[in-house]
Amino acid sequence: MAPADNALAQRPHLTAVETAQSPAVASALRTIETERDGLACLMEAIGNGLGEAFTAAVARIAGAKGRAILTGMGKSGHVGRKIAATLASTGTPALYVHPAEASHGDLGMVQPEDVVVALSWSGETTELADIIAYAKRYRVGLIAITANAGSTLGREADVCLTLPKAREACPNGLAPTTSTAMQLALGDALAVALLEHRGFSAREFSIYHPGGRLGASLRQVREVMHGGAQLPVVARGTPMRAAIAEIDAKGFGSVVVVEADGRLAGILTDGDLRRNVFRTDLDSLAVEALMSVRPRTVAPETLLAKALEIQESMKITALIVVENECPVGLVHYHDLLRSGVA
């Protein structure tokens, strides 16, 4: 290890001046700047001609009765795998087929109702020859993502997404860096355009992402709320002692107050009671004397992530779930903690 590199390893927390002088940081900034320039070129290309082919590609994938089959070799193949995963998670059935394995039986994964999306910067990747020939023979739609429209892949494709030429961030101009960043960005653009075309909702997104904190945040309030006999509720006019008994019985630290027709009137919380505990007339009061008349409410289809944001920003522990102006449930902060969203 060079002396400068050794010093850098020993002092990971550098000052701004020292950071500016670090060879590693300077290299990182050059790399990111070069890739940023490549993405800028891609944006310009989409606005100046590539956009027509992009629109056609979106229409071709959206109209396919089967799946999007991503394929590519080397770094393009790794990008293809990521694009396939993004498409599949956002409502477009997709899978990755390795072009070399395709020549040894995996072509059976590709069906006439599918559309192949092949990635190759040069457009002359030898391993793609068989899958290109198969697509043409069996009339499988073929979309190319390449920098060379005049290549074998570009000529044979039904739709050619021609990436603009851009300098690789590698100082030797060899390692795929800027090129793969552009491929990945274009793949993400395809996935998002298809998502928007289909009107893919957050609810649908949650179906494909049930695990972890992301999955929890995409669940709806109706899935964790306490309703029916569990809902602490009393009618307007209920004596204060009876309201307190309902709070104690249900254990949520509050009770929902309703009008005679079932519409929401307010909420009485432990905090309301603590602020009035020394009142001598407490026993003679009705529940509406101390209730809050404009409690925070959410709809049953509200995402848990949104419910959590409301509770934390408002510094409250419970939200009333309302449908057609009537309370149908209550969601407590502890419910959100148990769901894994927090």
Side-chain angles (χ1 to χ4, degrees):
M1 180 180 290
D5 292 335
N6 188 46
L8 180 61
Q10 293 175 356
R11 297 189 59 214
H13 303 294
L14 303 178
T15 67
V17 173
E18 290 173 319
T19 296
Q21 297 172 346
S22 163
V25 170
S27 175
L29 291 174
R30 284 196 303 271
T31 298
I32 295 170
E33 182 180 26
T34 303
E35 294 191 357
R36 181 195 64 189
D37 292 344
L39 293 178
C41 290
L42 178 59
M43 291 180 63
E44 184 178 354
I46 290 176
N48 293 330
L50 179 56
E52 184 176 349
F54 183 85
T55 300
V58 170
R60 179 64 69 110
I61 297 172
K65 295 180 180 179
R67 304 151 302 176
I69 307 296
L70 278 294
T71 189
M73 279 297 294
K75 305 302 185 291
S76 292
H78 293 309
V79 173
R81 285 186 179 89
K82 192 276 177 185
I83 296 173
T86 301
L87 287 169
S89 71
T90 53
T92 300
L95 59 86
Y96 173 80
V97 174
H98 193 288
E101 295 294 340
S103 299
H104 295 275
D106 283 2
L107 279 173
M109 297 180 179
V110 185
Q111 299 299 308
E113 61 269 20
D114 297 334
V115 56
V116 172
V117 182
L119 293 87
S120 171
W121 188 254
S122 69
E124 298 293 350
T125 303
T126 304
E127 292 85 353
L128 287 174
D130 288 338
I131 200 167
I132 293 172
Y134 181 89
K136 302 311 293 182
R137 179 180 179 183
Y138 294 101
R139 298 183 180 180
V140 180
L142 178 61
I143 297 172
I145 298 179
T146 179
N148 188 0
S151 64
T152 301
L153 176 60
R155 292 194 310 271
E156 295 296 333
D158 300 303
V159 178
C160 183
L161 297 174
T162 307
L163 297 170
K165 296 292 195 300
R167 181 169 59 90
E168 298 287 14
C170 166
N172 298 317
L174 299 175
T177 46
T178 306
S179 56
T180 50
M182 293 166 67
Q183 288 176 330
L184 185 59
L186 188 61
D188 286 343
L190 281 171
V192 173
L194 287 161
L195 178 156
E196 294 173 346
H197 173 81
R198 288 190 167 92
F200 192 73
S201 67
R203 176 60 177 166
E204 292 171 298
F205 193 83
S206 69
I207 295 172
Y208 301 130
H209 299 78
R213 186 172 179 180
L214 175 60
S217 68
L218 292 170
R219 294 173 63 192
Q220 294 182 342
V221 164
R222 68 169 77 250
E223 299 177 52
V224 302
M225 73 180 189
H226 301 274
Q230 293 182 320
L231 178 63
V233 60
V234 296
R236 180 189 286 272
T238 298
M240 192 64 66
R241 288 298 173 186
I244 294 172
E246 179 71 357
I247 293 176
D248 289 339
K250 298 299 170 63
F252 295 112
S254 60
V255 64
V256 179
V257 183
V258 296
E259 304 286 0
D261 59 3
R263 290 181 298 110
L264 176 64
I267 188 171
L268 179 70
T269 69
D270 283 341
D272 296 323
L273 293 172
R274 286 195 299 271
R275 285 186 288 273
N276 292 274
V277 69
F278 295 112
R279 289 186 59 158
T280 57
D281 60 345
L282 194 62
D283 284 341
S284 64
L285 297 176
V287 65
E288 59 266 25
L290 301 183
M291 73 179 185
S292 300
V293 295
R294 282 186 286 274
R296 297 294 299 185
T297 64
V298 292
E301 62 272 14
T302 301
L303 297 180
L304 295 190
K306 179 61 178 178
L308 178 65
E309 186 274 327
I310 294 172
Q311 289 190 345
E312 291 186 335
S313 64
M314 301 298 297
K315 294 181 172 55
I316 55 178
T317 59
L319 289 168
I320 303 172
V321 186
V322 173
E323 195 167 36
N324 297 323
E325 299 185 46
C326 297
V328 295
L330 182 143
V331 59
H332 194 275
Y333 187 71
H334 291 163
D335 301 320
L336 302 180
L337 292 178
R338 283 191 292 269
S339 76
V341 69

